[in-house]
Amino acid sequence: MIREINGIPVIEIREGKTKIYIPNPKLYTREDGTLEPAWAPVFYNPKMEFSRDVAVAFLTALKKMGISFRLVVDPLSGTGIRGLRYINESGNVSKVIINDINPIAYEFMKFNAKINNLEDRVEVYNIDANMLLYLLAMIRERPDFIDIDPFGSPIPFIDSALHTIKNGGVLAVTATDVAPLSGTRETACRRRYFSRSIKVDFDKELGLRILIASIALRAAAQDLYIEPLLSYYVDHYYRAYLVVKRGARKADEMLNENLGFIVYVTKNLRKYVIKGFPIPDVNELRNIKDEYELIGPLWIGKLCEEKVLKVINENAQYLELNTMHRLTRLIEVLISESKITTPYYYRLDMLCSKLKKSMPKINSVLECLRNKGYEASRTHFDPRGFKTSAEYHDVVECVMMVS
Ligand code: SAH
């Protein structure tokens, strides 16, 4: 039984089929007993197990779809947990590079690679993540999967990841700075994401779409374009898996088709989607008579590929994941809402308050919309929200009609 790594008291934990050592969390808790992962000498957050489980399920699903990964890079790895789980559990990765700027993390990563007998297929480094990624490009080692999983915003690491990733590779990104993205810190959003985010009823979806738009723009600057395979919001973070491909013309097409703005009418929560970048189509704007707020730029294209979602759920049962049920539930809702291309949802409680109507059952509203011939679905973004292909006046009619 190992008790210390580099003089730091440790405990052994297991996620999926992988065991790792982490600094003993009991030593890094607040007075009220809650764990504070950032205080530990090496970062490990047990709450992110779900994010890692989804990633393992995603990589495994891609194998079923005939896509395998030769080189995976986890450049902000902490204990090594992500990269080690990907190679140990997905059966779809030949080699992994794990890296962290923290020298103590380096000792943990080496140790954790060893106890899982993965030393032959894992390289461990201790340099700045951007430096690592640019160095890999320089020696023409092009990863086909890069996982940017920092705390806070991923933006400082996006340009190097895009530069280095193989044509057709997958870039996975986590953003925990949900407040700026979803409208509670407008100035921080402008600084980091070059976009206008304000308080709206579909705040969680807005944040994810601004994040993806800002990555799309950075890709376009390098004559690259992106295609989201899976993106979602849970537990106060965003996560997106994006295919990155080369092509200036396609990048132009991406900006034309998938970037745009939302016109938000505060008095009644009506929204209009207006394509275009860097400015929205002014003729369309002229037609809007209500007083409105202009939001964006944001990604107005698909957030998920339905086929990928389906394969993830078909295969999840064969994996050893502690969060299997939660995972399949999330994917089911994603499948349901991915049929609706409208890039926003309505918050039923907020809409009812604008309409001065007592709140009906959300399922009754959905049924009413479906009876009118529209698509309608709950959304994973918010239990109080629903998505629909319906026109605004039909949404209002259903909300007013049902109880
Ligand atoms: N991916 C990990 C969590 C990592 S937290 C997991 O799933 O558990 C972010 C990590 O990034 C920290 O360990 C921190 O030391 C590291 N880090 C921060 N800035 C860095 C940089 N510029 N280069 C490399 N690592 C960095």
Side-chain angles (χ1 to χ4, degrees):
M1 183 71 182
I2 290 99
R3 294 220 157 74
E4 289 189 343
I5 297 175
N6 268 33
I8 295 163
V10 294
I11 60 160
E12 184 190 302
I13 58 128
R14 181 176 277 271
E15 272 189 23
K17 293 182 197 161
T18 310
K19 72 174 181 196
I20 62 157
Y21 282 83
I22 61 166
N24 189 342
K26 285 211 180 80
L27 304 173
Y28 314 101
T29 48
R30 292 179 180 276
E31 271 177 10
D32 65 4
T34 54
L35 176 68
E36 190 43 80
W39 291 356
V42 180
F43 187 92
Y44 170 80
N45 187 353
K47 289 199 187 124
M48 289 301 228
E49 176 171 2
F50 183 63
S51 160
R52 293 182 281 266
D53 279 359
V54 173
V56 169
F58 172 86
L59 287 167
T60 314
L62 261 62
K63 183 180 185 186
K64 300 284 181 276
M65 297 174 76
I67 301 162
S68 56
F69 297 93
R70 203 183 51 82
L71 176 61
V72 167
V73 181
D74 174 14
L76 304 151
S77 194
T79 57
I81 181 73
R82 268 179 194 278
L84 294 174
R85 287 197 61 191
Y86 296 171
I87 198 155
N88 202 28
E89 297 175 41
S90 72
N92 197 18
V93 174
S94 313
K95 183 178 142 183
V96 161
I97 293 179
I98 50 180
N99 172 74
D100 201 285
I101 201 163
N102 171 1
I104 310 170
Y106 176 74
E107 300 301 330
F108 275 71
M109 288 187 287
K110 283 187 65 127
F111 191 86
N112 286 330
K114 193 166 153 204
I115 54 162
N116 287 287
N117 297 316
L118 293 168
E119 285 160 299
D120 294 348
R121 296 153 71 204
V122 175
E123 282 179 25
V124 187
Y125 295 100
N126 177 212
I127 60 171
D128 173 77
N130 284 319
M131 196 112 63
L132 171 75
L133 291 166
Y134 284 122
L135 280 171
L136 288 171
M138 201 182 103
I139 61 167
R140 298 201 168 75
E141 270 289 345
R142 297 220 172 254
D144 34 28
F145 189 94
I146 300 179
D147 201 319
I148 301 297
D149 184 54
F151 28 72
S153 171
I155 290 298
F157 308 103
I158 297 299
D159 291 344
S160 62
L162 289 167
H163 173 82
T164 298
I165 200 161
K166 194 169 160 184
N167 188 10
V170 176
L171 174 62
V173 174
T174 310
T176 62
D177 58 338
V178 172
L181 283 163
S182 63
T184 18
R185 288 179 57 212
E186 205 178 324
T187 50
C189 185
R190 183 173 72 167
R191 275 198 318 276
R192 278 180 213 154
Y193 299 99
F194 308 157
S195 186
R196 177 157 194 260
S197 184
I198 58 165
K199 285 196 175 121
V200 293
D201 65 328
F202 66 108
D203 56 344
K204 297 304 182 294
E205 180 163 2
L206 175 63
L208 181 56
R209 290 182 176 280
I210 286 177
L211 171 69
I212 295 177
S214 83
I215 297 171
L217 289 175
R218 300 185 103 94
Q222 296 190 42
D223 288 349
L224 302 168
Y225 63 99
I226 60 161
E227 292 169 351
L229 295 181
L230 166 66
S231 30
Y232 62 90
Y233 165 81
V234 293
D235 300 342
H236 312 291
Y237 65 86
Y238 290 113
R239 182 84 172 148
Y241 295 78
L242 313 165
V243 178
V244 180
K245 291 185 183 159
R246 185 150 287 286
R249 204 178 47 80
K250 289 274 206 160
D252 286 333
E253 253 171 53
M254 169 183 76
L255 299 184
N256 289 336
E257 293 304 312
N258 293 324
L259 255 75
F261 294 79
I262 285 185
V263 165
Y264 187 75
V265 183
T266 319
K267 72 166 190 224
N268 60 10
L269 309 189
R270 186 167 185 168
K271 298 123 183 140
Y272 302 82
V273 181
I274 302 198
K275 274 191 188 173
F277 180 81
I279 52 165
D281 186 329
V282 282
N283 289 325
E284 282 195 48
L285 275 183
R286 248 181 236 128
N287 293 333
I288 296 162
K289 298 292 171 246
D290 291 316
E291 203 175 297
Y292 63 80
E293 299 277 355
L294 192 57
I295 304 168
L298 74 161
W299 181 262
I300 56 172
K302 278 192 200 175
L303 294 178
C304 294
E305 266 319 316
E306 199 178 335
K307 174 81 186 137
V308 176
L309 299 175
K310 287 192 167 145
V311 181
I312 290 177
N313 260 10
E314 281 158 23
N315 286 290
Q317 52 181 316
Y318 303 111
L319 299 167
E320 265 176 50
L321 303 174
N322 292 327
T323 69
M324 215 271 283
H325 293 295
R326 184 178 180 201
L327 189 152
T328 48
R329 269 203 317 275
L330 170 67
I331 301 288
E332 271 163 24
V333 183
L334 290 175
I335 290 173
S336 160
E337 63 186 284
S338 71
K339 296 186 202 307
I340 299 162
T341 55
T342 314
Y344 54 79
Y345 56 88
Y346 292 94
R347 267 262 306 270
L348 184 57
D349 55 337
M350 288 173 72
L351 188 58
C352 286
S353 130
K354 296 282 179 190
L355 298 172
K356 306 211 180 328
K357 154 94 172 50
S358 64
M359 201 159 84
K361 287 206 184 74
I362 201 161
N363 285 339
S364 313
V365 177
L366 297 183
E367 209 181 290
C368 172
L369 290 165
R370 288 187 197 120
N371 288 340
K372 282 180 181 281
Y374 293 114
E375 297 271 7
S377 168
R378 288 191 166 247
T379 172
H380 82 286
F381 286 111
D382 197 317
R384 300 159 296 189
F386 66 93
K387 296 198 89 164
T388 178
S389 58
E391 296 289 334
Y392 179 76
H393 61 88
D394 284 319
V395 174
V396 172
E397 209 170 279
C398 278
V399 171
M400 295 305 283
M401 222 162 70
V402 301
S403 53

